Amino acid sequence: MADEAEQLAARFRRRQPHVKPVDLPPALRELVREAELQLNTDLAWYRALNAADKNQLRMIIETAVTDFVDWFSQIDASAFADSLIVDAHDGDTGNGRHGTDSGSADSTNPSAASDTDHSARADTDHASPTSHKPLSSADIADEFLHPSTDHIFFVAPLEFTKSITLNQTVELTRFIVDVLERNVTRIAKPGREQDMRNAMLYYSREVAFSAATVYASSAQARGDWDARLEALTIADLLDGVTSHQVSSRMSLLGWSNEFHCFAMAGHMRSHTGDISLSMAHRQIREAVRSLGGECLIGEHETLMVALIDPRNGGEPEDYFQAVAEYFADDSPVSIGPVREGLDGAAYTLRAAVNSHRASRCLTDLPRPLRSDDVLPERALLGDADARRELYDNVYSVLRGDDTENPLLLTLSTFLRSGNSLDATARELNVHPNTVRYRLKRSVEVTGWDPMNPREAYVLLTAIKIGLMLDD
């Protein structure tokens, strides 16, 4: 899993940035500078960028404008103003339009090529605005119909998308196109302004599609990477691994070093595939965040396991109610106790998973099922945490410092005698009221009532475990 995550990250690592200035014609470079000044005046988010991000953005803008000139010059270089230096194709004009015979000039005869070029320029210069057919997508040759613009954003795709949102990128694209359109007379020849506008709009659409692709890829990379980190973290914590590496991964996922958390485990509703499952996970995260919490989601065997940090307070039952609809109705949902830190996270995750395993021993299951509800069953499953909890919180409290403590002796005798007050009093040679007092006292110190059959079973299991561990 870690190798897959590393390979995914490698696909989106920062590519080698452009270190040389983009070779823009002077007229266009002046326009870009004017656009940057207007950006700084009109867009608050642009003003808030640091110098490095602004330089990054400048390279992207200049690359986009340069690529537009290069692309359109292959289609119809004659549309550019004479003051604009377009030398990428050395006078190869019109070869990107349908129906243009690019081989009509004699390529072996320089003078013929020159005559043809001068003739074409003369015809263009003396053409009236209405004599030229307006440019449309139908006029563009197939090889130029969908220009590749993805590389514009490959200066640093992931870094760029962290600093600037997709909405801001679209706003920026619209802004640059507006600036170029307002100054189209400085770019296009007289009579060719509309062609230039059409080309700008067409190319900006392709840039917008590329921006959406880059942002979607970046979001997918981050989402897939986070999902793998979450799954790996949940798996390690369930195995009891609380090393520095696990702490570092949780920090990458936005968790602080000090936190309180509880775990939730259950079977999710049936899903038709990975897409619907991913959507359910996203909806669970949103539901948790709506209550002010944060969560990690993973899988253990057939269970969906969530580790929830209720950062702004709230009880585990509140969070369960927020996400209950995503769990199967015919299966229990178990909740671990609230604990602190990495060790606590490992504890509550194991408690939730083992509680779900132990739930098959019970009838009339509560929903949600708290881990304390199945302590004896968890102990029988071999859950060392459950055994330790029964020993520390029940047996040790009853015993105190004396193995002959009357509370422990009375409760043991009462449970062994079939919950009979009289039989217990006779065996201990005390009055039944003494037995009642001691049983009441045991409820106060342990929280478990021996008069309740289920809680009596918890107490009996705790005493048996205590006697074995003390031996």
Side-chain angles (χ1 to χ4, degrees), residues 104-311:
S104 60
D106 186 357
S107 60
T108 62
N109 188 338
S111 62
S114 177
D115 292 342
T116 302
D117 183 60
H118 286 304
S119 175
R121 289 180 180 273
D123 291 343
T124 302
D125 291 340
H126 292 88
S128 65
T130 58
S131 66
H132 186 84
K133 180 183 177 183
L135 178 72
S136 67
S137 59
D139 298 321
I140 301 175
D142 291 342
E143 62 266 32
F144 302 114
L145 196 58
H146 297 292
S148 176
T149 56
D150 291 351
H151 63 281
I152 292 172
F153 299 97
F154 282 169
V155 175
L158 277 179
E159 290 77 0
F160 180 75
T161 59
K162 288 178 181 178
S163 301
I164 301 172
T165 68
L166 177 58
N167 286 338
Q168 291 169 342
T169 302
V170 173
E171 184 180 20
L172 175 69
T173 302
R174 184 184 296 114
F175 191 96
I176 297 299
V177 172
D178 288 345
V179 170
L180 293 178
E181 278 195 287
R182 288 198 301 269
N183 293 274
V184 70
T185 55
R186 296 163 61 180
I187 304 173
K189 281 186 177 180
R192 303 299 304 277
E193 292 88 353
Q194 190 57 46
D195 282 348
M196 190 64 67
R197 290 190 186 97
N198 291 345
M200 289 177 185
L201 293 175
Y202 188 91
Y203 195 80
S204 64
R205 183 194 71 173
E206 298 298 321
V207 172
F209 284 150
S210 292
T213 299
V214 169
Y215 275 85
S217 299
S218 299
Q220 181 182 0
R222 286 195 296 267
D224 291 348
W225 176 251
D226 287 352
R228 282 163 172 77
L229 279 183
E230 288 186 26
L232 188 60
T233 300
I234 294 289
D236 279 345
L237 290 173
L238 281 169
D239 290 337
V241 179
T242 58
S243 64
H244 174 69
Q245 286 81 0
V246 176
S247 177
S248 297
R249 286 200 297 268
M250 295 190 72
S251 296
L252 288 173
L253 293 168
W255 287 55
S256 63
N257 293 329
E258 298 180 0
F259 59 90
H260 290 80
C261 62
F262 66 91
M264 192 179 299
H267 290 119
M268 299 193 69
R269 294 184 183 275
S270 59
H271 293 278
T272 57
D274 291 340
I275 294 178
S276 61
L277 182 62
S278 297
M279 289 181 63
H281 286 177
R282 178 176 59 81
Q283 290 165 344
I284 289 174
R285 289 188 179 92
E286 290 176 352
V288 170
R289 288 166 182 162
S290 70
L291 295 178
E294 191 56 68
C295 73
L296 304 180
I297 295 177
E299 294 183 359
H300 180 74
E301 298 176 352
T302 60
L303 296 178
M304 192 284 291
V305 183
L307 183 68
I308 299 174
D309 177 5
R311 298 181 177 181

Side-chain angles (χ1 to χ4, degrees), residues 262-265 316-317 333-339 347-359 362 366 368-379 383 385-387 389-390 448 454 458:
F262 66 91
M264 192 179 299
E317 285 77 7
V333 179
S334 56
I335 292 180
V338 177
R339 291 291 186 267
Y347 183 98
T348 190
L349 282 167
R350 291 194 300 268
V353 169
N354 287 329
S355 295
H356 197 280
R357 292 175 59 199
S359 64
L362 302 183
L369 174 68
R370 299 186 68 98
S371 59
D372 288 349
D373 296 333
V374 284
L375 275 173
E377 290 77 12
R378 287 169 53 200
D383 186 340
D385 295 330
R387 289 198 303 268
E389 190 166 343
L390 287 170
W448 300 95
R454 172 63 189 173
V458 174

Side-chain angles (χ1 to χ4, degrees), residues 345-410:
Y347 183 98
T348 190
L349 282 167
R350 291 194 300 268
V353 169
N354 287 329
S355 295
H356 197 280
R357 292 175 59 199
S359 64
R360 67 191 67 181
C361 300
L362 302 183
T363 57
D364 299 326
L365 288 169
R367 190 174 175 90
L369 174 68
R370 299 186 68 98
S371 59
D372 288 349
D373 296 333
V374 284
L375 275 173
E377 290 77 12
R378 287 169 53 200
L380 290 174
L381 281 171
D383 186 340
D385 295 330
R387 289 198 303 268
R388 177 52 57 183
E389 190 166 343
L390 287 170
Y391 181 87
D392 291 341
N393 298 338
V394 180
Y395 177 78
S396 293
V397 172
L398 290 169
R399 184 200 63 187
D401 296 329
D402 183 6
T403 57
E404 301 298 326
N405 189 304
L407 282 183
L408 177 59
L409 182 60
T410 300

Side-chain angles (χ1 to χ4, degrees), residues 438-460:
R438 292 176 180 175
L439 293 179
K440 181 180 178 181
R441 179 65 181 150
S442 72
V443 175
E444 293 173 354
V445 298
T446 66
W448 300 95
D449 185 359
M451 297 298 182
N452 180 294
R454 172 63 189 173
E455 297 187 20
Y457 176 59
V458 174
L459 290 166
L460 182 60

